[in-house]
Amino acid sequence: MTITQTAAWSALLDHHRALQGTHLRDLFAQDPARGERLTAEGAGLYLDYSKNRVTDETLTLLLNLARETGVTAKRDAMFAGEKINVTEGRAVLHTALRAPAGATVLVDGHNVVPDVHEVLGRMAAFAEQVRAGTWLGHTGKPLKNIVNIGIGGSDLGPVMAYEALKHYAQRDLTLRFVSNVDGTDLTEKTRDLDPAETLVIVSSKTFTTQETMANARSARTWLLAALGDDAAVARHFVAVSTNAEAVQKFGIDTANMFGFWDWVGGRYSMDSAIGLSLMLAVGPDGFNELLAGFHAIDEHFRTAPLERNLPVLLGMLGIWYNNFFGAQSHAVLPYDQYLAYFPAYLQQLDMESNGKHITLDGRAVDYQTGPVIWGQPGTNGQHAFYQLIHQGTKLIPCDFIGFCQTLNPLPLDGGAPHHDLLMANVFAQTEALAFGKTLDQVLEEGVPADLAPHRVFDGNRPTNTILADRLTPHTLGALIALYEHKVFVQGAVWNINSFDQWGVELGKVLAGKIVPELHAPAEPELHHDSSTNALIRRYRAHR
Ligand SMILES: O=P(O)(O)OC[C@H]1O[C@](O)(CO)[C@@H](O)[C@@H]1O
């Protein structure tokens, strides 16, 4: 049976039809307490989901769908270390990365929590030395530049979290994140750094990723060109990986390697040793606070009733628009400059997890799965793409994220402080999107009749608002875990494997074949389609 054959699905289809003519204006008018009622809270995050096109019945039906598709049993199987990543035969235990010391999480009968804390302890000891300037480079200088080389989950998490927590970072350390195989990335990010003062962290779960290994080799060449001695690698290079053999082969002493495990997916790994660069920046205490924030949402997700469960609510509301309204995308709009990279991070988390069309039992789905995730920090987006969200033809559900306290209070002479201006925009946008402006209202304002239609806002555009008191490591951990589990809930309902990523393989394999064809001194024999052949020939002729 597919999910479209469940009773909950049919009930939702009927309900969607019945709700067609209902506007958020009506729903708010009918229930003056709606704005306080349709809210939930956990781990310091407050969710207002009242500006969604839902009634109490919608919520009941959506939660019925969650129940009927086994979301809670699947959640419990994940936390219990069952091998729910069936196509790779692996457990999915990023939640064990933030389990407190003393907890027990078994993988094949082995408690992995002490292993996690052993690595955290080694990371902390190393981070303390670098931060205190007692880990010396090859020429005896302390290392004050940190270059993380990685891509995908081995880059996006650390760079997003470093940017998010910059306020808490040791500012005499310079952090750079190199990911693109385009030589410009490494060149530009190292051009003003002194190799004698630079630590390179090669972050790669597999330690085979083409981009990362190319950047790591070039970084080594850059370092050795300046320091002139292979022995320098031991003081200036560390690795984060699950592949000790490949790390050793690259020339990094495994004493300088921080490990993690195959039950941590790349896009779920920023709270493993992959977060080493972040720990160097914010210190072990800051990192531990981040882990506590993750854990707080893990506990909330595991134990809160579905009606008040933040990831379940966000996940099921997303399904409502994705599967019943035909929404193609979902915008995440953080009103905090420090969260500039959060949408990009969520793109990998969500789209690599739920961009699938084959179910766990190997059949093609007959319903939509993961949406396109996109966004930018507010208020910049307001002056760019919000026009389409307000008045375009597409339905784009949005998450607005804001904080009650700013980390950078800037009072304005004779006006409201910056933070009030920022947050006024959060509230104004969600109000405008929900309620819009009718033709009558526009005409009443004296707008000429021929211009009036252009000034109408239909409204009825759904938003969630997530508010927290302050952006701290704890809040960031909670926010990330909130979205991790939201993605889990949706994947569980869609009955897909959110934890593999076979879709990235074909391109990798084909690129591997094309590299020697671009590089060969003699004209290679090409056996691609006519377009690819011609592009390769043109590139060779003009390179
Ligand atoms: O950490 P690795 O093994 O270098 O992989 C990097 C990234 O490549 C992918 O496997 C595919 O893009 C991601 O899932 C992963 O985060």
Side-chain angles (χ1 to χ4, degrees), residues 408-464:
N408 295 298
L410 280 189
L412 264 195
D413 269 355
H418 279 244
H419 198 59
D420 288 351
L421 300 182
L422 177 71
M423 293 307 291
N425 277 284
V426 175
F427 306 136
Q429 287 299 324
T430 64
E431 190 177 22
L433 286 164
F435 300 102
K437 201 187 224 184
T438 63
L439 184 61
D440 286 349
Q441 286 172 316
V442 174
L443 290 171
E444 254 167 51
E445 284 172 0
V447 175
D450 57 334
L451 285 184
H454 299 277
R455 307 281 287 268
V456 169
F457 288 73
D458 291 337
N460 215 15
R461 303 188 182 224
T463 60
N464 292 306

Coordinates of all heavy atoms in Angstrom, one line a residue, residues 408-464:
N408 N 24.3 42.6 18.5 CA 25.0 43.9 18.1 C 24.0 45.0 18.2 O 23.5 45.5 17.2 CB 25.5 43.7 16.7 CG 26.6 42.7 16.7 OD1 27.7 42.9 17.3 ND2 26.4 41.6 15.9
P409 N 23.7 45.5 19.5 CA 22.7 46.5 19.6 C 23.3 47.8 19.0 O 24.3 48.3 19.4 CB 22.5 46.7 21.1 CG 23.5 45.9 21.8 CD 24.2 45.0 20.7
L410 N 22.6 48.4 18.1 CA 23.0 49.7 17.5 C 21.8 50.6 17.7 O 20.8 50.6 17.0 CB 23.3 49.6 16.0 CG 24.6 49.0 15.6 CD1 24.8 49.2 14.1 CD2 25.8 49.7 16.3
P411 N 21.9 51.6 18.7 CA 20.8 52.5 18.8 C 20.9 53.5 17.7 O 21.9 53.8 17.1 CB 21.1 53.2 20.2 CG 22.6 53.0 20.4 CD 23.0 51.8 19.6
L412 N 19.7 54.0 17.3 CA 19.7 55.0 16.2 C 19.4 56.3 16.8 O 18.4 56.4 17.6 CB 18.6 54.7 15.2 CG 19.0 53.9 13.9 CD1 17.9 54.0 12.9 CD2 20.3 54.5 13.3
D413 N 20.1 57.3 16.5 CA 19.9 58.7 17.0 C 18.4 59.1 16.6 O 18.1 59.1 15.4 CB 20.8 59.7 16.4 CG 22.1 59.8 17.2 OD1 22.1 59.2 18.3 OD2 23.0 60.5 16.8
G414 N 17.6 59.3 17.6 CA 16.3 59.8 17.3 C 15.4 58.8 16.7 O 14.3 59.1 16.1
G415 N 15.7 57.5 16.7 CA 14.8 56.5 16.0 C 14.9 55.2 16.8 O 15.6 55.1 17.8
A416 N 14.1 54.3 16.2 CA 14.1 52.9 16.9 C 15.5 52.3 16.6 O 16.1 52.5 15.5 CB 13.0 52.1 16.2
P417 N 16.0 51.5 17.5 CA 17.2 50.8 17.3 C 17.2 49.8 16.1 O 16.1 49.4 15.7 CB 17.5 50.0 18.6 CG 16.3 50.2 19.4 CD 15.4 51.2 18.8
H418 N 18.3 49.5 15.5 CA 18.4 48.6 14.3 C 17.5 47.4 14.5 O 16.9 46.9 13.6 CB 19.8 48.2 14.1 CG 20.6 49.2 13.3 ND1 21.1 49.0 12.1 CD2 21.0 50.5 13.6 CE1 21.8 50.1 11.7 NE2 21.7 51.0 12.6
H419 N 17.7 46.8 15.7 CA 17.0 45.5 15.9 C 15.5 45.6 15.9 O 14.8 44.7 15.4 CB 17.5 44.9 17.2 CG 17.2 43.4 17.3 ND1 17.7 42.5 16.3 CD2 16.4 42.6 18.1 CE1 17.2 41.3 16.6 NE2 16.4 41.3 17.6
D420 N 14.9 46.7 16.4 CA 13.5 46.9 16.2 C 13.1 47.1 14.8 O 12.1 46.6 14.3 CB 13.1 48.2 17.0 CG 13.1 48.0 18.5 OD1 13.3 46.8 18.9 OD2 13.0 48.9 19.3
L421 N 14.0 47.8 14.0 CA 13.7 47.9 12.6 C 13.7 46.5 11.9 O 12.8 46.2 11.1 CB 14.7 48.7 11.9 CG 14.9 50.2 12.3 CD1 16.0 50.9 11.5 CD2 13.6 50.9 12.2
L422 N 14.7 45.7 12.3 CA 14.8 44.3 11.7 C 13.5 43.5 12.0 O 12.9 42.9 11.2 CB 16.0 43.7 12.2 CG 16.3 42.2 11.8 CD1 16.7 42.2 10.3 CD2 17.4 41.6 12.6
M423 N 13.2 43.5 13.3 CA 12.1 42.6 13.8 C 10.8 43.1 13.3 O 9.8 42.3 13.1 CB 12.2 42.4 15.3 CG 13.4 41.6 15.8 SD 13.6 40.0 14.9 CE 12.2 39.1 15.6
A424 N 10.6 44.4 13.2 CA 9.4 45.0 12.7 C 9.1 44.4 11.3 O 8.0 44.1 10.9 CB 9.4 46.5 12.6
N425 N 10.2 44.2 10.5 CA 10.0 43.6 9.2 C 9.6 42.2 9.2 O 8.8 41.7 8.4 CB 11.3 43.8 8.4 CG 11.5 45.1 7.8 OD1 10.8 45.4 6.8 ND2 12.2 46.0 8.4
V426 N 10.1 41.4 10.2 CA 9.6 40.0 10.3 C 8.1 40.0 10.5 O 7.3 39.3 9.8 CB 10.2 39.3 11.5 CG1 9.7 37.9 11.7 CG2 11.8 39.2 11.4
F427 N 7.6 40.8 11.5 CA 6.2 40.7 11.8 C 5.4 41.3 10.7 O 4.3 40.8 10.4 CB 6.0 41.5 13.1 CG 6.9 40.9 14.3 CD1 7.5 41.8 15.1 CD2 7.1 39.6 14.4 CE1 8.3 41.3 16.2 CE2 7.9 39.0 15.4 CZ 8.5 39.9 16.3
A428 N 5.9 42.4 10.0 CA 5.2 43.0 8.9 C 5.0 42.1 7.8 O 4.0 42.0 7.1 CB 5.9 44.3 8.5
Q429 N 6.1 41.4 7.5 CA 6.1 40.5 6.3 C 5.0 39.3 6.5 O 4.3 39.1 5.6 CB 7.5 39.9 6.0 CG 8.5 40.8 5.4 CD 8.0 41.4 4.1 OE1 7.4 40.7 3.3 NE2 8.3 42.7 3.9
T430 N 5.1 38.7 7.6 CA 4.1 37.6 7.8 C 2.7 38.1 7.9 O 1.8 37.4 7.4 CB 4.5 36.8 9.1 OG1 4.3 37.6 10.2 CG2 5.9 36.2 9.0
E431 N 2.5 39.3 8.4 CA 1.2 39.9 8.5 C 0.7 40.2 7.0 O -0.4 39.8 6.6 CB 1.2 41.2 9.3 CG -0.1 41.8 9.6 CD 0.0 43.0 10.5 OE1 1.0 43.7 10.5 OE2 -1.1 43.3 11.1
A432 N 1.6 40.8 6.2 CA 1.2 41.1 4.9 C 0.9 39.9 4.1 O 0.0 39.8 3.3 CB 2.3 41.9 4.2
L433 N 1.8 38.9 4.2 CA 1.6 37.6 3.5 C 0.3 37.0 3.8 O -0.4 36.4 3.0 CB 2.8 36.7 3.7 CG 4.1 37.1 3.0 CD1 5.3 36.3 3.5 CD2 3.9 36.9 1.5
A434 N -0.1 37.0 5.1 CA -1.3 36.3 5.5 C -2.6 37.1 5.1 O -3.5 36.5 4.6 CB -1.3 36.1 7.0
F435 N -2.5 38.4 5.4 CA -3.8 39.1 5.3 C -3.9 40.0 4.0 O -5.0 40.3 3.6 CB -4.0 40.0 6.5 CG -4.0 39.2 7.8 CD1 -2.9 39.1 8.6 CD2 -5.1 38.4 8.1 CE1 -2.8 38.3 9.7 CE2 -5.1 37.6 9.2 CZ -4.0 37.5 10.0
G436 N -2.8 40.3 3.4 CA -2.8 41.0 2.2 C -3.6 42.4 2.3 O -3.7 43.0 3.3
K437 N -4.1 42.8 1.1 CA -4.8 44.1 1.0 C -5.9 43.9 0.0 O -5.5 43.6 -1.2 CB -3.9 45.2 0.7 CG -4.3 46.5 1.0 CD -3.3 47.5 0.4 CE -3.0 48.6 1.4 NZ -2.1 49.6 0.8
T438 N -7.1 44.1 0.3 CA -8.2 43.9 -0.7 C -8.4 45.0 -1.6 O -7.9 46.1 -1.4 CB -9.6 43.7 0.0 OG1 -9.9 44.9 0.7 CG2 -9.5 42.5 1.0
L439 N -9.1 44.8 -2.7 CA -9.4 45.8 -3.7 C -10.1 47.0 -3.0 O -9.8 48.2 -3.3 CB -10.2 45.3 -4.8 CG -10.5 46.2 -6.0 CD1 -9.2 46.7 -6.7 CD2 -11.4 45.5 -7.1
D440 N -11.1 46.7 -2.2 CA -11.8 47.7 -1.5 C -10.8 48.6 -0.7 O -10.9 49.8 -0.7 CB -12.8 47.1 -0.5 CG -14.0 46.6 -1.3 OD1 -14.1 46.9 -2.5 OD2 -14.8 45.8 -0.7
Q441 N -9.9 48.0 0.0 CA -9.0 48.7 0.9 C -8.2 49.7 0.0 O -7.9 50.8 0.3 CB -8.1 47.8 1.7 CG -8.8 47.1 2.8 CD -7.9 46.0 3.5 OE1 -7.3 45.2 2.8 NE2 -7.9 46.0 4.8
V442 N -7.7 49.1 -1.2 CA -6.9 49.9 -2.1 C -7.7 51.1 -2.6 O -7.2 52.2 -2.6 CB -6.4 49.0 -3.2 CG1 -5.6 49.8 -4.2 CG2 -5.5 47.9 -2.7
L443 N -8.9 50.9 -3.0 CA -9.7 52.0 -3.6 C -10.0 53.0 -2.5 O -10.0 54.2 -2.8 CB -11.0 51.4 -4.1 CG -10.9 50.5 -5.4 CD1 -12.2 49.9 -5.8 CD2 -10.3 51.4 -6.6
E444 N -10.3 52.5 -1.3 CA -10.5 53.5 -0.2 C -9.3 54.4 0.1 O -9.5 55.5 0.5 CB -10.7 52.7 1.1 CG -12.2 52.6 1.6 CD -12.4 51.6 2.6 OE1 -11.6 51.6 3.6 OE2 -13.3 50.7 2.4
E445 N -8.2 53.9 -0.3 CA -7.0 54.8 -0.1 C -6.9 55.8 -1.2 O -5.9 56.6 -1.2 CB -5.7 53.9 -0.1 CG -5.5 53.1 1.2 CD -4.3 52.1 1.1 OE1 -3.7 52.0 0.0 OE2 -4.1 51.4 2.0
G446 N -7.8 55.8 -2.1 CA -7.8 56.8 -3.2 C -7.0 56.4 -4.4 O -6.7 57.2 -5.3
V447 N -6.6 55.1 -4.5 CA -5.8 54.7 -5.7 C -6.7 54.7 -6.9 O -7.8 54.1 -6.8 CB -5.2 53.3 -5.4 CG1 -4.5 52.8 -6.7 CG2 -4.2 53.3 -4.2
P448 N -6.3 55.3 -8.0 CA -7.2 55.2 -9.2 C -7.6 53.8 -9.6 O -6.7 52.9 -9.5 CB -6.3 55.9 -10.3 CG -5.2 56.6 -9.6 CD -5.1 55.9 -8.3
A449 N -8.8 53.6 -10.1 CA -9.3 52.3 -10.4 C -8.4 51.5 -11.3 O -8.3 50.3 -11.2 CB -10.7 52.4 -11.0
D450 N -7.8 52.2 -12.3 CA -7.0 51.4 -13.3 C -5.7 50.9 -12.6 O -5.1 49.9 -13.1 CB -6.7 52.2 -14.5 CG -6.0 53.5 -14.2 OD1 -6.1 54.0 -13.1 OD2 -5.2 54.0 -15.0
L451 N -5.2 51.5 -11.6 CA -4.0 51.1 -10.9 C -4.3 50.1 -9.8 O -3.4 49.4 -9.3 CB -3.2 52.3 -10.3 CG -2.5 53.2 -11.3 CD1 -1.7 54.3 -10.6 CD2 -1.5 52.3 -12.1
A452 N -5.5 50.2 -9.3 CA -5.9 49.4 -8.1 C -5.5 47.9 -8.1 O -5.0 47.4 -7.2 CB -7.3 49.6 -7.8
P453 N -5.8 47.2 -9.3 CA -5.5 45.8 -9.2 C -4.0 45.5 -9.0 O -3.7 44.5 -8.4 CB -5.9 45.3 -10.6 CG -6.8 46.4 -11.2 CD -6.4 47.6 -10.5
H454 N -3.2 46.4 -9.4 CA -1.7 46.2 -9.2 C -1.3 46.3 -7.7 O -0.3 45.9 -7.3 CB -0.9 47.2 -10.0 CG -1.1 47.1 -11.5 ND1 -0.5 46.2 -12.3 CD2 -2.0 47.8 -12.3 CE1 -0.9 46.4 -13.5 NE2 -1.8 47.3 -13.6
R455 N -2.2 47.0 -7.0 CA -1.9 47.3 -5.6 C -2.5 46.3 -4.6 O -2.4 46.5 -3.4 CB -2.3 48.7 -5.3 CG -1.7 49.8 -6.3 CD -0.3 50.1 -6.0 NE -0.2 50.9 -4.8 CZ -0.2 52.3 -4.8 NH1 -0.3 52.9 -5.9 NH2 -0.1 52.9 -3.7
V456 N -3.3 45.4 -5.2 CA -4.0 44.4 -4.3 C -3.0 43.3 -3.9 O -2.2 42.8 -4.7 CB -5.2 43.8 -5.1 CG1 -5.7 42.6 -4.4 CG2 -6.2 44.8 -5.3
F457 N -3.1 42.9 -2.7 CA -2.3 41.7 -2.2 C -3.4 40.7 -1.8 O -4.2 40.9 -0.9 CB -1.5 42.1 -1.0 CG -0.3 43.0 -1.2 CD1 -0.5 44.3 -1.6 CD2 1.0 42.5 -1.1 CE1 0.6 45.2 -1.8 CE2 2.0 43.3 -1.4 CZ 1.9 44.6 -1.7
D458 N -3.3 39.5 -2.5 CA -4.3 38.5 -2.2 C -4.2 38.0 -0.7 O -5.1 37.5 -0.1 CB -4.2 37.3 -3.1 CG -4.6 37.7 -4.5 OD1 -5.4 38.7 -4.7 OD2 -4.1 37.1 -5.5
G459 N -2.9 37.9 -0.2 CA -2.7 37.4 1.1 C -2.9 35.8 1.0 O -2.8 35.2 0.0
N460 N -3.2 35.3 2.2 CA -3.5 33.8 2.3 C -2.2 33.0 2.0 O -2.2 31.9 1.5 CB -4.6 33.4 1.4 CG -5.4 32.3 2.0 OD1 -5.3 32.0 3.2 ND2 -6.2 31.6 1.2
R461 N -1.0 33.7 2.1 CA 0.3 33.0 1.8 C 0.9 32.6 3.2 O 1.1 33.4 4.1 CB 1.2 34.0 1.1 CG 0.4 34.4 -0.2 CD 1.1 35.2 -1.2 NE 0.1 35.5 -2.2 CZ 0.4 35.4 -3.5 NH1 1.5 35.1 -3.9 NH2 -0.6 35.7 -4.4
P462 N 1.1 31.3 3.3 CA 1.4 30.7 4.6 C 2.9 31.0 5.1 O 3.8 30.9 4.3 CB 1.2 29.2 4.4 CG 1.4 29.0 2.9 CD 1.0 30.3 2.2
T463 N 3.0 31.2 6.4 CA 4.3 31.3 7.0 C 4.3 30.7 8.3 O 3.3 30.6 9.0 CB 4.7 32.8 7.2 OG1 3.7 33.4 8.1 CG2 4.7 33.6 5.9
N464 N 5.5 30.3 8.7 CA 5.8 29.9 10.1 C 6.7 31.0 10.6 O 7.6 31.5 9.9 CB 6.6 28.6 10.2 CG 5.8 27.4 9.8 OD1 4.7 27.2 10.3 ND2 6.3 26.6 8.8

